[in-house]
């Protein structure tokens, strides 16, 4: 194993690798795939993505995961060790940002479901920056990623490692116009917390097959 990656992975990872006999396989992955910064191909990949998943944890290690989306490039690559993206006013909970103020370690996952069926993990440390401070430090930032809205702040991420997520189980999904909201659909704030029985009956059954596009998995299986 190369010296560059001999410290890659957690203690738990390495313990299980020894137990299950995958240490050599894992070492090869660390050596070939785990990068201490973004490669040019990784930077180009991030610049094309319109969504990502963000994981954070509080000071006690309690985890949270969330979803972010925007136009291509909404996550800006400042250089091979630095990413940033804007946060806008939402439900007021600020779960991810609150975690970052306690624990700067973050994980980002970008995945291409449509063209190359590949994923990218980016792990690093984050801090929050006011919009005016971030724009002063990084004058090339996009101005209108959410038309008519101004970021509350930016999440500024220092990359510590980045590595591939293989395509084997990434489904093929095709972009499509967003359908009109069903009249019988509960409002977001009531969707998962309505009183027992309130959503029973055909009106709240599964989405009819005609409205649910099939998903094609590797090998041609469609569900």
């Amino acid at each position: 194993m190369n010296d560059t990656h001999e410290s890659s992975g957690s203690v738990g990872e390495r313990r299980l690798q020894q137990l299950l006999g995958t240490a050599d396989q894992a070492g090869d992955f660390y050596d070939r795939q785990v990068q201490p910064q973004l490669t040019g191909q990784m930077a180009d990949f991030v610049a094309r993505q319109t969504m990502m998943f963000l994981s954070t944890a509080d000071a006690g290690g309690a985890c949270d995961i969330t979803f972010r989306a925007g136009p291509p490039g909404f996550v800006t690559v400042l250089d091979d060790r630095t990413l940033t993206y804007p946060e806008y006013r939402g439900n007021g909970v600020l779960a991810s940002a609150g975690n970052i103020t306690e624990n700067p370690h973050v994980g980002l996952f970008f995945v291409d479901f449509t063209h190359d069926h590949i994923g990218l993990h980016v792990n690093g440390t984050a801090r929050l920056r006011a919009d005016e401070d971030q724009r002063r430090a990084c004058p090339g930032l996009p101005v209108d990623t959410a038309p008519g809205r101004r970021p509350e702040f930016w999440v500024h991420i220092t990359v510590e490692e980045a590595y591939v997520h293989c395509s084997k189980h990434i489904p093929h999904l095709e972009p499509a116009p967003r359908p009109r909201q069903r009249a019988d659909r509960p409002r977001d704030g009531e969707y998962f917390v309505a009183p027992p029985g309130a959503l029973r009956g055909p009106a709240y059954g599964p989405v009819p097959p005609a409205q649910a596009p099939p998903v094609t998995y590797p090998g041609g299986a469609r569900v």
Side-chain angles (χ1 to χ4, degrees):
M1 187 180 299
N2 295 339
D3 292 343
T4 307
H5 298 312
E6 64 181 6
S7 61
S8 294
S10 66
V11 172
E13 280 180 44
R14 293 190 175 277
R15 184 179 297 125
L16 283 176
Q17 290 161 13
Q18 292 294 332
L19 181 65
L20 299 176
T22 65
D24 289 343
Q25 179 184 352
D28 184 58
F29 180 85
Y30 294 145
D31 289 338
R32 292 187 303 105
Q33 299 293 350
V34 180
Q35 304 294 325
Q37 68 280 313
L38 300 175
T39 65
Q41 296 93 326
M42 290 174 176
D44 290 344
F45 183 81
V46 170
R48 298 195 302 268
Q49 301 314 302
T50 59
M51 60 181 168
M52 72 166 179
F53 299 90
L54 170 70
S55 63
T56 60
D58 65 17
C63 298
D64 186 78
I65 189 166
T66 191
F67 172 77
R68 293 289 182 269
F74 82 101
V75 177
T76 301
V77 180
L78 297 176
D79 56 51
D80 63 1
R81 292 294 307 278
T82 319
L83 300 174
T84 191
Y85 68 90
E87 285 281 9
Y88 297 92
R89 184 180 297 276
N91 61 9
V93 175
L94 299 168
S96 299
N99 282 347
I100 289 169
T101 66
E102 296 184 34
N103 178 350
H105 297 287
V106 297
L108 283 64
F109 181 54
F110 302 89
V111 59
D112 177 349
F113 292 104
T114 304
H115 298 101
D116 295 323
H117 308 98
I118 198 83
L120 176 66
H121 297 264
V122 179
N123 297 326
T125 56
R127 61 185 183 274
L128 310 182
R129 283 186 172 177
D131 184 51
E132 57 271 21
D133 293 339
Q134 188 72 326
R135 292 190 184 281
R136 190 180 305 114
C138 312
L141 289 176
V143 175
D144 212 21
T145 56
R149 301 178 68 194
R150 178 173 177 170
E152 292 270 283
F153 51 85
W154 291 74
V155 179
H156 188 89
I157 299 160
T158 300
V159 176
E160 295 178 348
E161 64 176 14
Y163 55 92
V164 69
H165 185 99
C166 71
S167 63
K168 184 175 182 181
H169 296 297
I170 294 176
H172 178 73
L173 305 178
E174 286 291 341
R178 185 168 182 161
R180 178 178 296 181
Q181 196 85 280
R182 302 196 332 267
D184 59 355
R185 179 194 183 277
R187 291 181 296 179
D188 289 1
E190 299 173 350
Y191 199 94
F192 294 113
V193 296
L199 305 185
R200 291 178 182 170
Y204 295 100
V207 178
Q211 298 182 34
V215 175
T216 302
Y217 286 88
R222 292 165 68 87
V223 296

